[in-house]
Short mmCIF file of all heavy atoms in Angstrom, two decimals:
data_model
loop_
_atom_site.label_atom_id
_atom_site.label_comp_id
_atom_site.label_asym_id
_atom_site.label_seq_id
_atom_site.Cartn_x
_atom_site.Cartn_y
_atom_site.Cartn_z
N PHE A 295 84.25 100.97 72.77
CA PHE A 295 84.62 99.73 72.12
C PHE A 295 83.76 98.60 72.64
O PHE A 295 83.47 98.53 73.83
CB PHE A 295 86.08 99.38 72.41
CG PHE A 295 87.07 100.24 71.69
CD1 PHE A 295 87.80 101.19 72.37
CD2 PHE A 295 87.27 100.09 70.33
CE1 PHE A 295 88.72 101.97 71.73
CE2 PHE A 295 88.19 100.86 69.67
CZ PHE A 295 88.92 101.80 70.36
N LEU A 296 83.39 97.72 71.76
CA LEU A 296 82.70 96.50 72.13
C LEU A 296 83.63 95.35 71.77
O LEU A 296 84.02 95.21 70.60
CB LEU A 296 81.37 96.37 71.38
CG LEU A 296 80.62 95.06 71.59
CD1 LEU A 296 80.21 94.91 73.05
CD2 LEU A 296 79.41 95.02 70.69
N VAL A 297 83.99 94.58 72.76
CA VAL A 297 84.91 93.47 72.54
C VAL A 297 84.13 92.17 72.60
O VAL A 297 83.47 91.89 73.60
CB VAL A 297 86.03 93.47 73.60
CG1 VAL A 297 86.95 92.28 73.40
CG2 VAL A 297 86.81 94.77 73.55
N THR A 298 84.19 91.41 71.53
CA THR A 298 83.49 90.14 71.50
C THR A 298 84.45 88.95 71.47
O THR A 298 84.04 87.83 71.71
CB THR A 298 82.56 90.06 70.27
OG1 THR A 298 83.33 90.26 69.09
CG2 THR A 298 81.46 91.11 70.36
N LYS A 299 85.72 89.21 71.15
CA LYS A 299 86.72 88.16 71.11
C LYS A 299 87.97 88.64 71.85
O LYS A 299 88.32 89.82 71.79
CB LYS A 299 87.12 87.84 69.67
CG LYS A 299 86.00 87.29 68.82
CD LYS A 299 86.48 87.00 67.43
CE LYS A 299 86.49 88.32 66.68
NZ LYS A 299 86.77 88.21 65.26
N PHE A 300 88.64 87.72 72.52
CA PHE A 300 89.87 88.08 73.22
C PHE A 300 90.89 88.66 72.25
O PHE A 300 91.62 89.59 72.57
CB PHE A 300 90.46 86.86 73.94
CG PHE A 300 91.72 87.18 74.67
CD1 PHE A 300 91.71 87.88 75.85
CD2 PHE A 300 92.95 86.79 74.14
CE1 PHE A 300 92.88 88.20 76.51
CE2 PHE A 300 94.12 87.10 74.79
CZ PHE A 300 94.09 87.82 75.99
N LYS A 301 90.93 88.12 71.05
CA LYS A 301 91.88 88.59 70.03
C LYS A 301 91.70 90.09 69.75
O LYS A 301 92.66 90.77 69.42
CB LYS A 301 91.68 87.78 68.75
CG LYS A 301 92.81 87.89 67.80
CD LYS A 301 93.79 86.77 68.05
CE LYS A 301 94.86 86.78 67.00
NZ LYS A 301 96.19 86.88 67.56
N ASP A 302 90.48 90.61 69.91
CA ASP A 302 90.25 92.04 69.72
C ASP A 302 91.03 92.87 70.75
O ASP A 302 91.49 93.97 70.44
CB ASP A 302 88.76 92.38 69.84
CG ASP A 302 87.95 91.87 68.66
OD1 ASP A 302 88.54 91.59 67.59
OD2 ASP A 302 86.72 91.78 68.80
N ILE A 303 91.19 92.33 71.94
CA ILE A 303 91.95 93.05 72.97
C ILE A 303 93.40 93.17 72.54
O ILE A 303 93.98 94.26 72.59
CB ILE A 303 91.83 92.34 74.34
CG1 ILE A 303 90.40 92.47 74.87
CG2 ILE A 303 92.84 92.91 75.33
CD1 ILE A 303 90.13 91.67 76.12
N THR A 304 93.99 92.06 72.12
CA THR A 304 95.42 92.08 71.78
C THR A 304 95.69 92.72 70.43
O THR A 304 96.76 93.31 70.24
CB THR A 304 96.00 90.65 71.80
OG1 THR A 304 95.29 89.83 70.88
CG2 THR A 304 95.94 90.07 73.19
N ASP A 305 94.76 92.63 69.51
CA ASP A 305 95.00 93.13 68.15
C ASP A 305 94.45 94.53 67.89
O ASP A 305 94.91 95.20 66.96
CB ASP A 305 94.39 92.19 67.12
CG ASP A 305 95.11 90.85 67.06
OD1 ASP A 305 96.16 90.70 67.71
OD2 ASP A 305 94.59 89.94 66.38
N LYS A 306 93.48 94.97 68.68
CA LYS A 306 92.85 96.26 68.41
C LYS A 306 92.92 97.23 69.60
O LYS A 306 93.36 98.36 69.45
CB LYS A 306 91.38 96.06 68.02
CG LYS A 306 91.22 95.29 66.72
CD LYS A 306 89.77 95.02 66.41
CE LYS A 306 89.66 94.17 65.15
NZ LYS A 306 88.28 93.80 64.87
N ILE A 307 92.46 96.79 70.76
CA ILE A 307 92.36 97.68 71.92
C ILE A 307 93.74 98.13 72.40
O ILE A 307 94.00 99.33 72.53
CB ILE A 307 91.58 97.02 73.07
CG1 ILE A 307 90.18 96.59 72.61
CG2 ILE A 307 91.53 97.93 74.29
CD1 ILE A 307 89.27 97.70 72.20
N ILE A 308 94.61 97.17 72.68
CA ILE A 308 95.93 97.52 73.21
C ILE A 308 96.73 98.36 72.21
O ILE A 308 97.27 99.41 72.59
CB ILE A 308 96.69 96.26 73.67
CG1 ILE A 308 96.01 95.71 74.93
CG2 ILE A 308 98.16 96.56 73.93
CD1 ILE A 308 96.54 94.39 75.43
N PRO A 309 96.79 97.98 70.94
CA PRO A 309 97.53 98.84 70.00
C PRO A 309 96.94 100.25 69.88
O PRO A 309 97.68 101.23 69.76
CB PRO A 309 97.42 98.10 68.66
CG PRO A 309 97.21 96.67 69.04
CD PRO A 309 96.40 96.71 70.31
N PHE A 310 95.62 100.36 69.94
CA PHE A 310 94.98 101.68 69.86
C PHE A 310 95.43 102.57 71.02
O PHE A 310 95.84 103.72 70.82
CB PHE A 310 93.45 101.55 69.86
CG PHE A 310 92.76 102.88 69.85
CD1 PHE A 310 92.52 103.54 68.66
CD2 PHE A 310 92.36 103.48 71.03
CE1 PHE A 310 91.88 104.78 68.64
CE2 PHE A 310 91.73 104.72 71.04
CZ PHE A 310 91.49 105.36 69.84
N PHE A 311 95.36 102.04 72.24
CA PHE A 311 95.72 102.86 73.40
C PHE A 311 97.23 103.02 73.55
O PHE A 311 97.68 103.95 74.22
CB PHE A 311 95.08 102.32 74.68
CG PHE A 311 93.62 102.66 74.75
CD1 PHE A 311 92.66 101.68 74.57
CD2 PHE A 311 93.19 103.95 74.97
CE1 PHE A 311 91.31 101.98 74.61
CE2 PHE A 311 91.85 104.28 75.01
CZ PHE A 311 90.90 103.29 74.84
N ASP A 312 98.02 102.15 72.93
CA ASP A 312 99.46 102.40 72.87
C ASP A 312 99.74 103.61 71.96
O ASP A 312 100.59 104.44 72.26
CB ASP A 312 100.21 101.18 72.32
CG ASP A 312 100.51 100.13 73.39
OD1 ASP A 312 100.55 100.49 74.59
OD2 ASP A 312 100.70 98.96 73.02
N ARG A 313 99.00 103.68 70.88
CA ARG A 313 99.17 104.78 69.93
C ARG A 313 98.56 106.08 70.43
O ARG A 313 99.11 107.16 70.21
CB ARG A 313 98.50 104.42 68.61
CG ARG A 313 99.40 104.59 67.41
CD ARG A 313 98.76 104.03 66.18
NE ARG A 313 98.34 102.67 66.56
CZ ARG A 313 97.59 101.85 65.87
NH1 ARG A 313 97.14 102.22 64.73
NH2 ARG A 313 97.27 100.67 66.28
N TYR A 314 97.40 106.00 71.08
CA TYR A 314 96.67 107.18 71.55
C TYR A 314 96.40 107.04 73.04
O TYR A 314 95.29 106.68 73.45
CB TYR A 314 95.34 107.33 70.80
CG TYR A 314 95.50 107.33 69.30
CD1 TYR A 314 95.17 106.20 68.56
CD2 TYR A 314 95.99 108.44 68.63
CE1 TYR A 314 95.32 106.18 67.17
CE2 TYR A 314 96.14 108.44 67.25
CZ TYR A 314 95.80 107.31 66.53
OH TYR A 314 95.95 107.29 65.17
N PRO A 315 97.40 107.31 73.88
CA PRO A 315 97.22 107.13 75.32
C PRO A 315 96.13 108.04 75.88
O PRO A 315 95.89 109.14 75.37
CB PRO A 315 98.57 107.51 75.91
CG PRO A 315 99.51 107.66 74.77
CD PRO A 315 98.71 107.79 73.53
N ARG A 316 95.48 107.55 76.92
CA ARG A 316 94.46 108.35 77.60
C ARG A 316 95.13 109.53 78.27
O ARG A 316 96.17 109.38 78.89
CB ARG A 316 93.79 107.52 78.70
CG ARG A 316 92.85 106.49 78.21
CD ARG A 316 92.17 105.78 79.37
NE ARG A 316 91.71 106.73 80.36
CZ ARG A 316 91.74 106.53 81.67
NH1 ARG A 316 92.23 105.42 82.15
NH2 ARG A 316 91.28 107.42 82.50
N PRO A 317 94.53 110.70 78.20
CA PRO A 317 95.09 111.82 78.95
C PRO A 317 94.86 111.60 80.45
O PRO A 317 93.88 110.98 80.85
CB PRO A 317 94.29 113.03 78.46
CG PRO A 317 93.07 112.48 77.83
CD PRO A 317 93.38 111.06 77.42
N GLY A 318 95.80 112.04 81.25
CA GLY A 318 95.66 111.90 82.70
C GLY A 318 96.26 110.60 83.19
O GLY A 318 97.18 110.05 82.60
N GLY A 319 95.73 110.12 84.29
CA GLY A 319 96.26 108.92 84.93
C GLY A 319 95.90 107.64 84.21
O GLY A 319 95.40 107.65 83.10
N GLY A 320 96.17 106.55 84.87
CA GLY A 320 95.80 105.26 84.32
C GLY A 320 96.91 104.56 83.56
O GLY A 320 96.70 103.45 83.07
N VAL A 321 98.08 105.18 83.47
CA VAL A 321 99.16 104.57 82.71
C VAL A 321 99.59 103.25 83.34
O VAL A 321 99.75 102.24 82.65
CB VAL A 321 100.37 105.54 82.60
CG1 VAL A 321 101.57 104.86 81.98
CG2 VAL A 321 99.97 106.78 81.83
N LYS A 322 99.75 103.24 84.66
CA LYS A 322 100.18 102.00 85.33
C LYS A 322 99.10 100.93 85.22
O LYS A 322 99.40 99.75 85.06
CB LYS A 322 100.52 102.28 86.79
CG LYS A 322 101.80 103.09 86.93
CD LYS A 322 102.12 103.34 88.37
CE LYS A 322 103.39 104.17 88.49
NZ LYS A 322 103.71 104.48 89.88
N ASP A 323 97.82 101.34 85.33
CA ASP A 323 96.73 100.37 85.19
C ASP A 323 96.72 99.77 83.78
O ASP A 323 96.49 98.57 83.61
CB ASP A 323 95.39 101.01 85.49
CG ASP A 323 95.14 101.20 86.97
OD1 ASP A 323 95.83 100.55 87.78
OD2 ASP A 323 94.27 102.00 87.32
N PHE A 324 96.98 100.59 82.78
CA PHE A 324 97.01 100.08 81.41
C PHE A 324 98.17 99.11 81.22
O PHE A 324 98.02 98.07 80.57
CB PHE A 324 97.09 101.23 80.40
CG PHE A 324 97.11 100.77 78.97
CD1 PHE A 324 96.06 100.04 78.44
CD2 PHE A 324 98.20 101.04 78.16
CE1 PHE A 324 96.08 99.60 77.13
CE2 PHE A 324 98.24 100.61 76.85
CZ PHE A 324 97.18 99.89 76.33
N GLU A 325 99.32 99.43 81.81
CA GLU A 325 100.46 98.52 81.73
C GLU A 325 100.12 97.19 82.41
O GLU A 325 100.47 96.12 81.90
CB GLU A 325 101.71 99.14 82.35
CG GLU A 325 102.26 100.32 81.57
CD GLU A 325 102.64 99.99 80.14
OE1 GLU A 325 103.21 98.90 79.91
OE2 GLU A 325 102.36 100.80 79.25
N ASP A 326 99.43 97.25 83.54
CA ASP A 326 98.98 96.02 84.21
C ASP A 326 97.99 95.26 83.35
O ASP A 326 98.04 94.03 83.25
CB ASP A 326 98.36 96.35 85.57
CG ASP A 326 99.39 96.73 86.61
OD1 ASP A 326 100.59 96.45 86.42
OD2 ASP A 326 98.99 97.32 87.63
N PHE A 327 97.06 95.98 82.72
CA PHE A 327 96.08 95.37 81.83
C PHE A 327 96.80 94.61 80.71
O PHE A 327 96.44 93.47 80.38
CB PHE A 327 95.16 96.45 81.26
CG PHE A 327 94.16 95.95 80.27
CD1 PHE A 327 93.00 95.34 80.70
CD2 PHE A 327 94.36 96.11 78.91
CE1 PHE A 327 92.05 94.87 79.78
CE2 PHE A 327 93.44 95.66 77.99
CZ PHE A 327 92.28 95.04 78.42
N LYS A 328 97.83 95.23 80.14
CA LYS A 328 98.59 94.57 79.07
C LYS A 328 99.32 93.33 79.59
O LYS A 328 99.37 92.32 78.90
CB LYS A 328 99.60 95.54 78.44
CG LYS A 328 98.94 96.64 77.65
CD LYS A 328 99.88 97.44 76.78
CE LYS A 328 101.08 98.00 77.44
NZ LYS A 328 101.87 98.89 76.54
N ARG A 329 99.85 93.40 80.82
CA ARG A 329 100.52 92.23 81.41
C ARG A 329 99.54 91.07 81.57
O ARG A 329 99.86 89.92 81.25
CB ARG A 329 101.12 92.59 82.76
CG ARG A 329 102.39 93.41 82.66
CD ARG A 329 102.94 93.83 84.00
NE ARG A 329 103.11 92.72 84.91
CZ ARG A 329 103.03 92.82 86.24
NH1 ARG A 329 102.77 93.98 86.81
NH2 ARG A 329 103.20 91.77 87.00
N VAL A 330 98.33 91.37 82.04
CA VAL A 330 97.32 90.33 82.22
C VAL A 330 96.90 89.75 80.86
O VAL A 330 96.77 88.54 80.70
CB VAL A 330 96.10 90.85 83.00
CG1 VAL A 330 94.95 89.86 82.96
CG2 VAL A 330 96.48 91.17 84.44
N ALA A 331 96.72 90.62 79.88
CA ALA A 331 96.35 90.15 78.54
C ALA A 331 97.43 89.21 77.99
O ALA A 331 97.12 88.18 77.39
CB ALA A 331 96.13 91.32 77.59
N LYS A 332 98.70 89.54 78.20
CA LYS A 332 99.80 88.70 77.73
C LYS A 332 99.79 87.36 78.45
O LYS A 332 99.98 86.31 77.84
CB LYS A 332 101.13 89.42 77.94
CG LYS A 332 102.33 88.66 77.44
CD LYS A 332 102.25 88.27 75.99
CE LYS A 332 102.77 89.36 75.11
NZ LYS A 332 102.78 88.99 73.69
N LEU A 333 99.55 87.39 79.78
CA LEU A 333 99.46 86.14 80.53
C LEU A 333 98.34 85.26 79.99
O LEU A 333 98.50 84.05 79.82
CB LEU A 333 99.24 86.43 82.02
CG LEU A 333 100.45 86.97 82.78
CD1 LEU A 333 100.03 87.51 84.14
CD2 LEU A 333 101.49 85.87 82.96
N MET A 334 97.19 85.88 79.73
CA MET A 334 96.05 85.11 79.22
C MET A 334 96.32 84.59 77.81
O MET A 334 95.93 83.48 77.46
CB MET A 334 94.79 85.96 79.26
CG MET A 334 94.34 86.24 80.68
SD MET A 334 92.86 87.23 80.78
CE MET A 334 91.65 86.09 80.14
N GLU A 335 96.99 85.40 77.01
CA GLU A 335 97.33 84.97 75.65
C GLU A 335 98.22 83.73 75.70
O GLU A 335 98.13 82.85 74.84
CB GLU A 335 98.05 86.12 74.95
CG GLU A 335 98.28 85.92 73.48
CD GLU A 335 98.86 87.16 72.83
OE1 GLU A 335 99.72 87.84 73.43
OE2 GLU A 335 98.44 87.45 71.70
N ASN A 336 99.07 83.66 76.74
CA ASN A 336 99.96 82.51 76.91
C ASN A 336 99.33 81.40 77.76
O ASN A 336 100.03 80.50 78.21
CB ASN A 336 101.28 82.97 77.54
CG ASN A 336 102.06 83.85 76.60
OD1 ASN A 336 102.03 83.66 75.39
ND2 ASN A 336 102.77 84.82 77.14
N LYS A 337 98.03 81.51 78.00
CA LYS A 337 97.24 80.49 78.71
C LYS A 337 97.61 80.35 80.19
O LYS A 337 97.31 79.33 80.81
CB LYS A 337 97.35 79.12 78.03
CG LYS A 337 97.06 79.11 76.56
CD LYS A 337 95.61 79.28 76.29
CE LYS A 337 95.33 79.07 74.80
NZ LYS A 337 94.31 79.92 74.30
N ALA A 338 98.24 81.36 80.78
CA ALA A 338 98.62 81.29 82.19
C ALA A 338 97.39 81.25 83.10
O ALA A 338 97.47 80.70 84.20
CB ALA A 338 99.50 82.49 82.57
N HIS A 339 96.27 81.80 82.65
CA HIS A 339 95.06 81.80 83.47
C HIS A 339 94.49 80.41 83.69
O HIS A 339 93.59 80.22 84.51
CB HIS A 339 94.01 82.72 82.86
CG HIS A 339 93.50 82.27 81.52
ND1 HIS A 339 94.30 82.26 80.40
CD2 HIS A 339 92.29 81.81 81.15
CE1 HIS A 339 93.59 81.82 79.37
NE2 HIS A 339 92.37 81.54 79.80
N LEU A 340 95.02 79.43 82.99
CA LEU A 340 94.54 78.06 83.13
C LEU A 340 95.28 77.29 84.21
O LEU A 340 94.96 76.12 84.47
CB LEU A 340 94.65 77.34 81.78
CG LEU A 340 93.85 77.97 80.64
CD1 LEU A 340 94.09 77.22 79.35
CD2 LEU A 340 92.37 78.04 80.98
N THR A 341 96.27 77.93 84.84
CA THR A 341 97.02 77.29 85.92
C THR A 341 96.78 78.06 87.21
O THR A 341 96.46 79.25 87.19
CB THR A 341 98.53 77.27 85.64
OG1 THR A 341 99.03 78.60 85.67
CG2 THR A 341 98.84 76.62 84.29
N LYS A 342 96.94 77.38 88.34
CA LYS A 342 96.77 78.04 89.63
C LYS A 342 97.79 79.17 89.80
O LYS A 342 97.45 80.24 90.30
CB LYS A 342 96.93 77.05 90.78
CG LYS A 342 95.74 76.16 90.98
CD LYS A 342 95.93 75.28 92.20
CE LYS A 342 94.73 74.38 92.39
NZ LYS A 342 94.84 73.57 93.61
N GLU A 343 99.03 78.92 89.39
CA GLU A 343 100.08 79.92 89.53
C GLU A 343 99.78 81.15 88.67
O GLU A 343 99.94 82.28 89.13
CB GLU A 343 101.44 79.34 89.15
CG GLU A 343 101.91 78.21 90.05
CD GLU A 343 101.29 76.86 89.70
OE1 GLU A 343 100.73 76.69 88.58
OE2 GLU A 343 101.34 75.97 90.56
N GLY A 344 99.37 80.92 87.46
CA GLY A 344 99.05 82.02 86.55
C GLY A 344 97.86 82.82 87.04
O GLY A 344 97.87 84.05 87.00
N LEU A 345 96.84 82.12 87.50
CA LEU A 345 95.66 82.80 88.02
C LEU A 345 96.00 83.62 89.25
O LEU A 345 95.53 84.75 89.41
CB LEU A 345 94.58 81.77 88.33
CG LEU A 345 93.14 82.25 88.39
CD1 LEU A 345 92.75 83.02 87.14
CD2 LEU A 345 92.21 81.09 88.61
N SER A 346 96.86 83.09 90.09
CA SER A 346 97.30 83.82 91.27
C SER A 346 98.06 85.08 90.87
O SER A 346 97.89 86.15 91.47
CB SER A 346 98.19 82.92 92.12
OG SER A 346 98.69 83.61 93.22
N GLN A 347 98.89 84.97 89.85
CA GLN A 347 99.63 86.13 89.36
C GLN A 347 98.68 87.20 88.81
O GLN A 347 98.85 88.39 89.07
CB GLN A 347 100.61 85.69 88.29
CG GLN A 347 101.59 86.74 87.87
CD GLN A 347 102.62 86.20 86.88
OE1 GLN A 347 102.56 85.05 86.43
NE2 GLN A 347 103.56 87.04 86.52
N ILE A 348 97.66 86.77 88.09
CA ILE A 348 96.67 87.71 87.55
C ILE A 348 95.92 88.40 88.68
O ILE A 348 95.73 89.62 88.65
CB ILE A 348 95.71 86.98 86.59
CG1 ILE A 348 96.46 86.59 85.31
CG2 ILE A 348 94.49 87.85 86.26
CD1 ILE A 348 95.71 85.65 84.39
N TYR A 349 95.50 87.65 89.69
CA TYR A 349 94.81 88.25 90.84
C TYR A 349 95.70 89.26 91.55
O TYR A 349 95.24 90.31 92.00
CB TYR A 349 94.34 87.19 91.82
CG TYR A 349 93.07 86.48 91.40
CD1 TYR A 349 92.98 85.09 91.47
CD2 TYR A 349 91.96 87.18 90.95
CE1 TYR A 349 91.82 84.43 91.09
CE2 TYR A 349 90.81 86.52 90.56
CZ TYR A 349 90.74 85.15 90.63
OH TYR A 349 89.60 84.50 90.25
N SER A 350 96.98 88.96 91.64
CA SER A 350 97.92 89.86 92.29
C SER A 350 98.02 91.18 91.52
O SER A 350 98.02 92.26 92.10
CB SER A 350 99.29 89.20 92.40
OG SER A 350 100.22 90.09 92.94
N ILE A 351 98.11 91.08 90.21
CA ILE A 351 98.17 92.29 89.37
C ILE A 351 96.88 93.08 89.51
O ILE A 351 96.89 94.29 89.70
CB ILE A 351 98.43 91.91 87.90
CG1 ILE A 351 99.82 91.30 87.74
CG2 ILE A 351 98.27 93.12 86.99
CD1 ILE A 351 100.07 90.62 86.42
N LYS A 352 95.75 92.39 89.43
CA LYS A 352 94.44 93.04 89.52
C LYS A 352 94.25 93.76 90.85
O LYS A 352 93.65 94.83 90.91
CB LYS A 352 93.33 92.02 89.33
CG LYS A 352 91.94 92.62 89.40
CD LYS A 352 90.91 91.54 89.65
CE LYS A 352 89.55 92.09 89.94
NZ LYS A 352 89.48 92.83 91.18
N SER A 353 94.77 93.19 91.92
CA SER A 353 94.56 93.77 93.25
C SER A 353 95.20 95.15 93.40
O SER A 353 94.84 95.91 94.29
CB SER A 353 95.08 92.84 94.33
OG SER A 353 96.50 92.83 94.33
N LYS A 354 96.13 95.48 92.52
CA LYS A 354 96.81 96.77 92.59
C LYS A 354 96.23 97.80 91.61
O LYS A 354 96.67 98.94 91.60
CB LYS A 354 98.29 96.58 92.30
CG LYS A 354 98.97 95.72 93.33
CD LYS A 354 100.41 95.48 92.96
CE LYS A 354 101.03 94.53 93.98
NZ LYS A 354 102.29 93.99 93.53
N MET A 355 95.27 97.39 90.82
CA MET A 355 94.72 98.29 89.81
C MET A 355 93.62 99.18 90.38
O MET A 355 93.06 98.89 91.43
CB MET A 355 94.17 97.47 88.63
CG MET A 355 95.26 96.76 87.85
SD MET A 355 94.62 95.69 86.55
CE MET A 355 94.04 96.90 85.39
N ASN A 356 93.33 100.26 89.65
CA ASN A 356 92.23 101.16 89.97
C ASN A 356 92.35 101.78 91.36
O ASN A 356 91.51 101.60 92.22
CB ASN A 356 90.87 100.46 89.81
CG ASN A 356 90.64 100.01 88.39
OD1 ASN A 356 90.94 100.74 87.46
ND2 ASN A 356 90.14 98.81 88.23
N PHE A 357 93.42 102.53 91.55
CA PHE A 357 93.65 103.32 92.76
C PHE A 357 94.00 102.50 93.98
O PHE A 357 93.98 103.01 95.08
CB PHE A 357 92.45 104.22 93.07
CG PHE A 357 92.04 105.09 91.92
CD1 PHE A 357 90.89 104.82 91.21
CD2 PHE A 357 92.82 106.17 91.56
CE1 PHE A 357 90.51 105.61 90.14
CE2 PHE A 357 92.44 106.97 90.49
CZ PHE A 357 91.28 106.69 89.78
N LYS A 358 94.30 101.23 93.85
CA LYS A 358 94.61 100.39 95.01
C LYS A 358 96.12 100.20 95.18
O LYS A 358 96.53 99.49 96.04
CB LYS A 358 93.93 99.04 94.88
CG LYS A 358 92.43 99.14 94.92
CD LYS A 358 91.81 97.78 94.75
CE LYS A 358 90.32 97.94 94.55
NZ LYS A 358 89.81 97.09 93.52
N ARG A 359 96.92 100.85 94.34
CA ARG A 359 98.36 100.61 94.42
C ARG A 359 99.00 101.60 95.38
O ARG A 359 98.52 102.70 95.56
CB ARG A 359 99.03 100.66 93.05
CG ARG A 359 98.93 101.98 92.34
CD ARG A 359 99.69 102.00 91.00
NE ARG A 359 98.97 101.33 89.94
CZ ARG A 359 99.39 100.22 89.35
NH1 ARG A 359 100.51 99.66 89.68
NH2 ARG A 359 98.67 99.66 88.41
N ASP A 360 100.10 101.15 95.98
CA ASP A 360 100.90 102.06 96.79
C ASP A 360 101.54 103.08 95.87
O ASP A 360 101.68 102.84 94.67
CB ASP A 360 102.01 101.30 97.53
CG ASP A 360 101.45 100.31 98.56
OD1 ASP A 360 100.37 100.60 99.11
OD2 ASP A 360 102.09 99.27 98.79
N SER A 361 101.94 104.19 96.40
CA SER A 361 102.61 105.18 95.55
C SER A 361 103.98 104.64 95.19
O SER A 361 104.90 104.63 95.99
CB SER A 361 102.71 106.52 96.25
OG SER A 361 103.35 106.36 97.50
N ASP A 362 104.09 104.09 93.98
CA ASP A 362 105.36 103.53 93.52
C ASP A 362 105.85 104.21 92.29
O ASP A 362 105.27 104.97 91.68
CB ASP A 362 105.25 102.02 93.26
CG ASP A 362 104.03 101.61 92.45
OD1 ASP A 362 103.34 102.48 91.88
OD2 ASP A 362 103.76 100.40 92.39
#
């Protein structure tokens, strides 16, 4: 996929992978990705608190999370 607009993430990428999940791991990372996309859609990334929340979510992605 080539994403040129943020709207493509919310309207195309996320619905596609909701419908056709990746085989194997990555489910929690995808859920985190969707949380960040929702925060950005709501403009949370424009505030210090929102940006901090996004960084916190990101820090646990890609094999960095505790076994939860």
